[in-house]
PDB file of all heavy atoms in Angstrom:
ATOM      1  N   LEU A   1      75.678 160.453 287.673  1.00 48.00           N
ATOM      2  CA  LEU A   1      74.832 160.532 288.865  1.00 48.00           C
ATOM      3  C   LEU A   1      74.461 161.951 289.279  1.00 48.00           C
ATOM      4  O   LEU A   1      73.354 162.210 289.746  1.00 48.00           O
ATOM      5  CB  LEU A   1      75.541 159.846 290.045  1.00 48.00           C
ATOM      6  CG  LEU A   1      75.790 158.341 289.893  1.00 48.00           C
ATOM      7  CD1 LEU A   1      76.544 157.809 291.108  1.00 48.00           C
ATOM      8  CD2 LEU A   1      74.471 157.592 289.731  1.00 48.00           C
ATOM      9  N   VAL A   2      75.378 162.912 289.150  1.00 42.00           N
ATOM     10  CA  VAL A   2      75.199 164.242 289.732  1.00 42.00           C
ATOM     11  C   VAL A   2      74.732 165.291 288.745  1.00 42.00           C
ATOM     12  O   VAL A   2      73.849 166.089 289.046  1.00 42.00           O
ATOM     13  CB  VAL A   2      76.512 164.704 290.407  1.00 42.00           C
ATOM     14  CG1 VAL A   2      76.350 166.108 290.964  1.00 42.00           C
ATOM     15  CG2 VAL A   2      76.916 163.725 291.496  1.00 42.00           C
ATOM     16  N   ILE A   3      75.307 165.330 287.567  1.00 41.00           N
ATOM     17  CA  ILE A   3      75.000 166.408 286.608  1.00 41.00           C
ATOM     18  C   ILE A   3      73.517 166.490 286.271  1.00 41.00           C
ATOM     19  O   ILE A   3      72.949 167.584 286.234  1.00 41.00           O
ATOM     20  CB  ILE A   3      75.858 166.265 285.348  1.00 41.00           C
ATOM     21  CG1 ILE A   3      77.320 166.589 285.697  1.00 41.00           C
ATOM     22  CG2 ILE A   3      75.356 167.174 284.230  1.00 41.00           C
ATOM     23  CD1 ILE A   3      78.284 166.439 284.538  1.00 41.00           C
ATOM     24  N   PRO A   4      72.823 165.349 286.023  1.00 47.00           N
ATOM     25  CA  PRO A   4      71.381 165.471 285.746  1.00 47.00           C
ATOM     26  C   PRO A   4      70.605 166.153 286.870  1.00 47.00           C
ATOM     27  O   PRO A   4      69.657 166.887 286.628  1.00 47.00           O
ATOM     28  CB  PRO A   4      70.945 164.000 285.580  1.00 47.00           C
ATOM     29  CG  PRO A   4      72.174 163.303 285.116  1.00 47.00           C
ATOM     30  CD  PRO A   4      73.301 163.965 285.884  1.00 47.00           C
ATOM     31  N   LYS A   5      71.029 165.912 288.140  1.00 44.00           N
ATOM     32  CA  LYS A   5      70.348 166.560 289.270  1.00 44.00           C
ATOM     33  C   LYS A   5      70.576 168.063 289.260  1.00 44.00           C
ATOM     34  O   LYS A   5      69.681 168.854 289.568  1.00 44.00           O
ATOM     35  CB  LYS A   5      70.848 165.964 290.583  1.00 44.00           C
ATOM     36  CG  LYS A   5      70.460 164.498 290.767  1.00 44.00           C
ATOM     37  CD  LYS A   5      70.961 163.976 292.101  1.00 44.00           C
ATOM     38  CE  LYS A   5      70.568 162.507 292.280  1.00 44.00           C
ATOM     39  NZ  LYS A   5      71.030 161.982 293.590  1.00 44.00           N
ATOM     40  N   ILE A   6      71.785 168.487 288.920  1.00 38.00           N
ATOM     41  CA  ILE A   6      72.087 169.922 288.841  1.00 38.00           C
ATOM     42  C   ILE A   6      71.260 170.571 287.737  1.00 38.00           C
ATOM     43  O   ILE A   6      70.713 171.662 287.903  1.00 38.00           O
ATOM     44  CB  ILE A   6      73.594 170.139 288.586  1.00 38.00           C
ATOM     45  CG1 ILE A   6      74.394 169.647 289.794  1.00 38.00           C
ATOM     46  CG2 ILE A   6      73.882 171.612 288.329  1.00 38.00           C
ATOM     47  CD1 ILE A   6      75.895 169.730 289.613  1.00 38.00           C
ATOM     48  N   VAL A   7      71.164 169.886 286.609  1.00 38.00           N
ATOM     49  CA  VAL A   7      70.378 170.416 285.486  1.00 38.00           C
ATOM     50  C   VAL A   7      68.924 170.586 285.894  1.00 38.00           C
ATOM     51  O   VAL A   7      68.280 171.596 285.597  1.00 38.00           O
ATOM     52  CB  VAL A   7      70.490 169.477 284.259  1.00 38.00           C
ATOM     53  CG1 VAL A   7      69.503 169.915 283.172  1.00 38.00           C
ATOM     54  CG2 VAL A   7      71.902 169.477 283.721  1.00 38.00           C
ATOM     55  N   ASP A   8      68.383 169.584 286.624  1.00 46.00           N
ATOM     56  CA  ASP A   8      66.991 169.680 287.076  1.00 46.00           C
ATOM     57  C   ASP A   8      66.795 170.854 288.017  1.00 46.00           C
ATOM     58  O   ASP A   8      65.785 171.558 287.952  1.00 46.00           O
ATOM     59  CB  ASP A   8      66.571 168.387 287.788  1.00 46.00           C
ATOM     60  CG  ASP A   8      66.398 167.233 286.816  1.00 46.00           C
ATOM     61  OD1 ASP A   8      66.219 167.509 285.613  1.00 46.00           O
ATOM     62  OD2 ASP A   8      66.459 166.071 287.255  1.00 46.00           O
ATOM     63  N   ARG A   9      67.768 171.106 288.895  1.00 41.00           N
ATOM     64  CA  ARG A   9      67.654 172.228 289.839  1.00 41.00           C
ATOM     65  C   ARG A   9      67.675 173.561 289.104  1.00 41.00           C
ATOM     66  O   ARG A   9      66.956 174.494 289.457  1.00 41.00           O
ATOM     67  CB  ARG A   9      68.784 172.184 290.857  1.00 41.00           C
ATOM     68  CG  ARG A   9      68.668 171.039 291.847  1.00 41.00           C
ATOM     69  CD  ARG A   9      69.776 171.097 292.877  1.00 41.00           C
ATOM     70  NE  ARG A   9      69.581 172.256 293.742  1.00 41.00           N
ATOM     71  CZ  ARG A   9      70.520 172.720 294.550  1.00 41.00           C
ATOM     72  NH1 ARG A   9      71.713 172.174 294.575  1.00 41.00           N
ATOM     73  NH2 ARG A   9      70.277 173.755 295.332  1.00 41.00           N
ATOM     74  N   VAL A  10      68.498 173.659 288.081  1.00 35.00           N
ATOM     75  CA  VAL A  10      68.539 174.880 287.283  1.00 35.00           C
ATOM     76  C   VAL A  10      67.208 175.103 286.590  1.00 35.00           C
ATOM     77  O   VAL A  10      66.658 176.201 286.566  1.00 35.00           O
ATOM     78  CB  VAL A  10      69.678 174.827 286.250  1.00 35.00           C
ATOM     79  CG1 VAL A  10      69.592 176.004 285.296  1.00 35.00           C
ATOM     80  CG2 VAL A  10      71.032 174.806 286.952  1.00 35.00           C
ATOM     81  N   LYS A  11      66.668 174.024 285.996  1.00 39.00           N
ATOM     82  CA  LYS A  11      65.383 174.140 285.303  1.00 39.00           C
ATOM     83  C   LYS A  11      64.275 174.566 286.255  1.00 39.00           C
ATOM     84  O   LYS A  11      63.369 175.302 285.895  1.00 39.00           O
ATOM     85  CB  LYS A  11      65.010 172.801 284.651  1.00 39.00           C
ATOM     86  CG  LYS A  11      65.859 172.448 283.443  1.00 39.00           C
ATOM     87  CD  LYS A  11      65.407 171.124 282.843  1.00 39.00           C
ATOM     88  CE  LYS A  11      66.214 170.752 281.609  1.00 39.00           C
ATOM     89  NZ  LYS A  11      65.791 169.453 281.045  1.00 39.00           N
ATOM     90  N   ASN A  12      64.346 174.095 287.504  1.00 42.00           N
ATOM     91  CA  ASN A  12      63.309 174.395 288.487  1.00 42.00           C
ATOM     92  C   ASN A  12      63.600 175.649 289.300  1.00 42.00           C
ATOM     93  O   ASN A  12      62.931 175.931 290.279  1.00 42.00           O
ATOM     94  CB  ASN A  12      63.120 173.206 289.433  1.00 42.00           C
ATOM     95  CG  ASN A  12      62.592 171.977 288.717  1.00 42.00           C
ATOM     96  OD1 ASN A  12      61.812 172.087 287.777  1.00 42.00           O
ATOM     97  ND2 ASN A  12      63.043 170.798 289.151  1.00 42.00           N
ATOM     98  N   ASN A  13      64.675 176.372 288.886  1.00 38.00           N
ATOM     99  CA  ASN A  13      65.046 177.614 289.564  1.00 38.00           C
ATOM    100  C   ASN A  13      65.362 177.391 291.042  1.00 38.00           C
ATOM    101  O   ASN A  13      65.035 178.189 291.904  1.00 38.00           O
ATOM    102  CB  ASN A  13      63.931 178.654 289.446  1.00 38.00           C
ATOM    103  CG  ASN A  13      64.434 180.045 289.764  1.00 38.00           C
ATOM    104  OD1 ASN A  13      65.605 180.356 289.575  1.00 38.00           O
ATOM    105  ND2 ASN A  13      63.540 180.891 290.255  1.00 38.00           N
ATOM    106  N   GLU A  14      66.011 176.278 291.362  1.00 37.00           N
ATOM    107  CA  GLU A  14      66.333 175.935 292.736  1.00 37.00           C
ATOM    108  C   GLU A  14      67.825 175.980 293.004  1.00 37.00           C
ATOM    109  O   GLU A  14      68.271 175.622 294.080  1.00 37.00           O
ATOM    110  CB  GLU A  14      65.801 174.545 293.078  1.00 37.00           C
ATOM    111  CG  GLU A  14      64.280 174.453 293.041  1.00 37.00           C
ATOM    112  CD  GLU A  14      63.791 173.045 293.343  1.00 37.00           C
ATOM    113  OE1 GLU A  14      64.636 172.135 293.368  1.00 37.00           O
ATOM    114  OE2 GLU A  14      62.595 172.881 293.559  1.00 37.00           O
ATOM    115  N   ILE A  15      68.599 176.439 292.057  1.00 32.00           N
ATOM    116  CA  ILE A  15      70.045 176.363 292.197  1.00 32.00           C
ATOM    117  C   ILE A  15      70.579 177.238 293.324  1.00 32.00           C
ATOM    118  O   ILE A  15      71.608 176.971 293.910  1.00 32.00           O
ATOM    119  CB  ILE A  15      70.732 176.757 290.856  1.00 32.00           C
ATOM    120  CG1 ILE A  15      72.207 176.328 290.876  1.00 32.00           C
ATOM    121  CG2 ILE A  15      70.579 178.216 290.584  1.00 32.00           C
ATOM    122  CD1 ILE A  15      72.432 174.863 290.905  1.00 32.00           C
ATOM    123  N   VAL A  16      69.843 178.334 293.668  1.00 34.00           N
ATOM    124  CA  VAL A  16      70.320 179.225 294.729  1.00 34.00           C
ATOM    125  C   VAL A  16      69.610 178.987 296.053  1.00 34.00           C
ATOM    126  O   VAL A  16      69.848 179.682 297.026  1.00 34.00           O
ATOM    127  CB  VAL A  16      70.145 180.704 294.330  1.00 34.00           C
ATOM    128  CG1 VAL A  16      70.957 181.032 293.121  1.00 34.00           C
ATOM    129  CG2 VAL A  16      68.669 181.026 294.099  1.00 34.00           C
ATOM    130  N   LYS A  17      68.718 178.016 296.082  1.00 34.00           N
ATOM    131  CA  LYS A  17      67.960 177.773 297.296  1.00 34.00           C
ATOM    132  C   LYS A  17      68.724 176.833 298.228  1.00 34.00           C
ATOM    133  O   LYS A  17      69.308 175.856 297.802  1.00 34.00           O
ATOM    134  CB  LYS A  17      66.582 177.157 296.969  1.00 34.00           C
ATOM    135  CG  LYS A  17      65.645 178.127 296.255  1.00 34.00           C
ATOM    136  CD  LYS A  17      64.289 177.499 296.047  1.00 34.00           C
ATOM    137  CE  LYS A  17      63.349 178.479 295.347  1.00 34.00           C
ATOM    138  NZ  LYS A  17      62.027 177.887 295.104  1.00 34.00           N
ATOM    139  N   GLY A  18      68.684 177.146 299.512  1.00 33.00           N
ATOM    140  CA  GLY A  18      69.320 176.292 300.496  1.00 33.00           C
ATOM    141  C   GLY A  18      68.573 176.383 301.794  1.00 33.00           C
ATOM    142  O   GLY A  18      67.725 177.252 301.995  1.00 33.00           O
ATOM    143  N   ASP A  19      68.862 175.495 302.729  1.00 33.00           N
ATOM    144  CA  ASP A  19      68.136 175.468 303.993  1.00 33.00           C
ATOM    145  C   ASP A  19      68.281 176.782 304.746  1.00 33.00           C
ATOM    146  O   ASP A  19      67.327 177.299 305.311  1.00 33.00           O
ATOM    147  CB  ASP A  19      68.648 174.308 304.853  1.00 33.00           C
ATOM    148  CG  ASP A  19      68.279 172.962 304.246  1.00 33.00           C
ATOM    149  OD1 ASP A  19      67.325 172.936 303.457  1.00 33.00           O
ATOM    150  OD2 ASP A  19      68.941 171.961 304.562  1.00 33.00           O
ATOM    151  N   ARG A  20      69.458 177.348 304.788  1.00 26.00           N
ATOM    152  CA  ARG A  20      69.687 178.588 305.528  1.00 26.00           C
ATOM    153  C   ARG A  20      68.923 179.734 304.902  1.00 26.00           C
ATOM    154  O   ARG A  20      68.274 180.527 305.597  1.00 26.00           O
ATOM    155  CB  ARG A  20      71.187 178.900 305.556  1.00 26.00           C
ATOM    156  CG  ARG A  20      71.529 180.139 306.369  1.00 26.00           C
ATOM    157  CD  ARG A  20      73.041 180.283 306.500  1.00 26.00           C
ATOM    158  NE  ARG A  20      73.370 181.487 307.252  1.00 26.00           N
ATOM    159  CZ  ARG A  20      73.494 182.675 306.722  1.00 26.00           C
ATOM    160  NH1 ARG A  20      73.314 182.830 305.422  1.00 26.00           N
ATOM    161  NH2 ARG A  20      73.789 183.734 307.453  1.00 26.00           N
ATOM    162  N   LEU A  21      68.960 179.852 303.584  1.00 28.00           N
ATOM    163  CA  LEU A  21      68.248 180.929 302.900  1.00 28.00           C
ATOM    164  C   LEU A  21      66.755 180.793 303.117  1.00 28.00           C
ATOM    165  O   LEU A  21      66.051 181.764 303.387  1.00 28.00           O
ATOM    166  CB  LEU A  21      68.564 180.905 301.397  1.00 28.00           C
ATOM    167  CG  LEU A  21      67.875 181.974 300.540  1.00 28.00           C
ATOM    168  CD1 LEU A  21      68.279 183.361 301.015  1.00 28.00           C
ATOM    169  CD2 LEU A  21      68.235 181.791 299.076  1.00 28.00           C
ATOM    170  N   ASN A  22      66.247 179.565 303.007  1.00 32.00           N
ATOM    171  CA  ASN A  22      64.819 179.355 303.195  1.00 32.00           C
ATOM    172  C   ASN A  22      64.382 179.707 304.613  1.00 32.00           C
ATOM    173  O   ASN A  22      63.314 180.256 304.834  1.00 32.00           O
ATOM    174  CB  ASN A  22      64.462 177.890 302.902  1.00 32.00           C
ATOM    175  CG  ASN A  22      64.528 177.562 301.421  1.00 32.00           C
ATOM    176  OD1 ASN A  22      64.457 178.459 300.601  1.00 32.00           O
ATOM    177  ND2 ASN A  22      64.697 176.297 301.096  1.00 32.00           N
ATOM    178  N   THR A  23      65.220 179.397 305.593  1.00 29.00           N
ATOM    179  CA  THR A  23      64.888 179.696 306.977  1.00 29.00           C
ATOM    180  C   THR A  23      64.801 181.192 307.216  1.00 29.00           C
ATOM    181  O   THR A  23      63.878 181.687 307.848  1.00 29.00           O
ATOM    182  CB  THR A  23      65.949 179.082 307.917  1.00 29.00           C
ATOM    183  OG1 THR A  23      65.988 177.676 307.704  1.00 29.00           O
ATOM    184  CG2 THR A  23      65.613 179.377 309.368  1.00 29.00           C
ATOM    185  N   VAL A  24      65.757 181.951 306.669  1.00 30.00           N
ATOM    186  CA  VAL A  24      65.767 183.401 306.842  1.00 30.00           C
ATOM    187  C   VAL A  24      64.543 184.032 306.194  1.00 30.00           C
ATOM    188  O   VAL A  24      63.860 184.854 306.769  1.00 30.00           O
ATOM    189  CB  VAL A  24      67.062 184.012 306.246  1.00 30.00           C
ATOM    190  CG1 VAL A  24      66.966 185.523 306.248  1.00 30.00           C
ATOM    191  CG2 VAL A  24      68.260 183.553 307.053  1.00 30.00           C
ATOM    192  N   THR A  25      64.229 183.594 304.962  1.00 31.00           N
ATOM    193  CA  THR A  25      63.075 184.139 304.250  1.00 31.00           C
ATOM    194  C   THR A  25      61.787 183.852 305.009  1.00 31.00           C
ATOM    195  O   THR A  25      60.939 184.733 305.182  1.00 31.00           O
ATOM    196  CB  THR A  25      62.982 183.550 302.835  1.00 31.00           C
ATOM    197  OG1 THR A  25      64.194 183.841 302.137  1.00 31.00           O
ATOM    198  CG2 THR A  25      61.811 184.134 302.070  1.00 31.00           C
ATOM    199  N   SER A  26      61.658 182.630 305.508  1.00 30.00           N
ATOM    200  CA  SER A  26      60.453 182.250 306.234  1.00 30.00           C
ATOM    201  C   SER A  26      60.301 183.089 307.496  1.00 30.00           C
ATOM    202  O   SER A  26      59.209 183.513 307.844  1.00 30.00           O
ATOM    203  CB  SER A  26      60.527 180.757 306.593  1.00 30.00           C
ATOM    204  OG  SER A  26      59.420 180.383 307.373  1.00 30.00           O
ATOM    205  N   HIS A  27      61.419 183.374 308.166  1.00 35.00           N
ATOM    206  CA  HIS A  27      61.367 184.172 309.398  1.00 35.00           C
ATOM    207  C   HIS A  27      60.875 185.584 309.108  1.00 35.00           C
ATOM    208  O   HIS A  27      60.060 186.128 309.832  1.00 35.00           O
ATOM    209  CB  HIS A  27      62.760 184.210 310.031  1.00 35.00           C
ATOM    210  CG  HIS A  27      62.843 185.121 311.216  1.00 35.00           C
ATOM    211  ND1 HIS A  27      62.249 184.824 312.421  1.00 35.00           N
ATOM    212  CD2 HIS A  27      63.432 186.333 311.377  1.00 35.00           C
ATOM    213  CE1 HIS A  27      62.479 185.794 313.276  1.00 35.00           C
ATOM    214  NE2 HIS A  27      63.186 186.726 312.680  1.00 35.00           N
ATOM    215  N   LYS A  28      61.351 186.180 308.031  1.00 37.00           N
ATOM    216  CA  LYS A  28      60.949 187.542 307.687  1.00 37.00           C
ATOM    217  C   LYS A  28      59.478 187.602 307.308  1.00 37.00           C
ATOM    218  O   LYS A  28      58.804 188.575 307.582  1.00 37.00           O
ATOM    219  CB  LYS A  28      61.819 188.065 306.537  1.00 37.00           C
ATOM    220  CG  LYS A  28      63.230 188.442 306.971  1.00 37.00           C
ATOM    221  CD  LYS A  28      63.977 189.091 305.832  1.00 37.00           C
ATOM    222  CE  LYS A  28      65.361 189.543 306.276  1.00 37.00           C
ATOM    223  NZ  LYS A  28      66.106 190.189 305.185  1.00 37.00           N
ATOM    224  N   GLU A  29      59.003 186.539 306.654  1.00 38.00           N
ATOM    225  CA  GLU A  29      57.616 186.557 306.209  1.00 38.00           C
ATOM    226  C   GLU A  29      56.650 186.405 307.377  1.00 38.00           C
ATOM    227  O   GLU A  29      55.535 186.894 307.342  1.00 38.00           O
ATOM    228  CB  GLU A  29      57.390 185.441 305.191  1.00 38.00           C
ATOM    229  CG  GLU A  29      58.060 185.702 303.843  1.00 38.00           C
ATOM    230  CD  GLU A  29      57.885 184.542 302.889  1.00 38.00           C
ATOM    231  OE1 GLU A  29      57.399 183.496 303.332  1.00 38.00           O
ATOM    232  OE2 GLU A  29      58.239 184.680 301.713  1.00 38.00           O
ATOM    233  N   SER A  30      57.067 185.734 308.455  1.00 42.00           N
ATOM    234  CA  SER A  30      56.153 185.442 309.547  1.00 42.00           C
ATOM    235  C   SER A  30      56.223 186.453 310.687  1.00 42.00           C
ATOM    236  O   SER A  30      55.379 186.440 311.571  1.00 42.00           O
ATOM    237  CB  SER A  30      56.452 184.046 310.114  1.00 42.00           C
ATOM    238  OG  SER A  30      57.770 184.010 310.633  1.00 42.00           O
ATOM    239  N   GLY A  31      57.212 187.331 310.687  1.00 85.00           N
ATOM    240  CA  GLY A  31      57.360 188.284 311.783  1.00 85.00           C
ATOM    241  C   GLY A  31      57.428 189.719 311.304  1.00 85.00           C
ATOM    242  O   GLY A  31      57.771 189.996 310.162  1.00 85.00           O
ATOM    243  N   LEU A  32      57.077 190.646 312.203  1.00 97.00           N
ATOM    244  CA  LEU A  32      57.140 192.070 311.914  1.00 97.00           C
ATOM    245  C   LEU A  32      58.147 192.730 312.848  1.00 97.00           C
ATOM    246  O   LEU A  32      58.287 192.340 314.001  1.00 97.00           O
ATOM    247  CB  LEU A  32      55.763 192.719 312.103  1.00 97.00           C
ATOM    248  CG  LEU A  32      54.645 192.217 311.185  1.00 97.00           C
ATOM    249  CD1 LEU A  32      53.326 192.875 311.574  1.00 97.00           C
ATOM    250  CD2 LEU A  32      54.964 192.473 309.736  1.00 97.00           C
ATOM    251  N   ALA A  33      58.820 193.745 312.326  1.00 96.00           N
ATOM    252  CA  ALA A  33      59.809 194.455 313.128  1.00 96.00           C
ATOM    253  C   ALA A  33      59.128 195.212 314.260  1.00 96.00           C
ATOM    254  O   ALA A  33      58.015 195.717 314.116  1.00 96.00           O
ATOM    255  CB  ALA A  33      60.599 195.422 312.249  1.00 96.00           C
ATOM    256  N   LYS A  34      59.795 195.266 315.404  1.00 96.00           N
ATOM    257  CA  LYS A  34      59.297 196.018 316.546  1.00 96.00           C
ATOM    258  C   LYS A  34      60.131 197.295 316.670  1.00 96.00           C
ATOM    259  O   LYS A  34      61.324 197.248 316.940  1.00 96.00           O
ATOM    260  CB  LYS A  34      59.402 195.190 317.826  1.00 96.00           C
ATOM    261  CG  LYS A  34      58.800 195.865 319.049  1.00 96.00           C
ATOM    262  CD  LYS A  34      59.024 195.036 320.301  1.00 96.00           C
ATOM    263  CE  LYS A  34      58.260 193.730 320.236  1.00 96.00           C
ATOM    264  NZ  LYS A  34      58.394 192.963 321.505  1.00 96.00           N
ATOM    265  N   ILE A  35      59.487 198.468 316.465  1.00 96.00           N
ATOM    266  CA  ILE A  35      60.191 199.742 316.463  1.00 96.00           C
ATOM    267  C   ILE A  35      60.396 200.276 317.880  1.00 96.00           C
ATOM    268  O   ILE A  35      61.430 200.837 318.206  1.00 96.00           O
ATOM    269  CB  ILE A  35      59.423 200.784 315.628  1.00 96.00           C
ATOM    270  CG1 ILE A  35      59.173 200.243 314.209  1.00 96.00           C
ATOM    271  CG2 ILE A  35      60.188 202.096 315.561  1.00 96.00           C
ATOM    272  CD1 ILE A  35      60.426 199.811 313.475  1.00 96.00           C
TER     273      ILE A  35
END
């Protein structure tokens, strides 16, 4: 049940992606630092 899903994630380069990481990246892309 599980190993094929892990293999697919590796093939799709998604093994390091997670909700928290995606949220942080999205925040940086949409905002600019205020000096």
Side-chain angles (χ1 to χ4, degrees):
L1 296 178
V2 178
I3 290 178
K5 294 181 180 181
I6 294 176
V7 171
D8 288 340
R9 290 183 68 194
V10 172
K11 288 181 179 179
N12 295 326
N13 197 28
E14 295 178 349
I15 195 66
V16 298
K17 292 184 179 179
D19 292 338
R20 183 173 179 274
L21 179 60
N22 288 339
T23 301
V24 172
T25 302
S26 176
H27 174 71
K28 285 186 177 180
E29 289 177 351
S30 62
L32 298 175
K34 185 184 294 184
I35 305 304

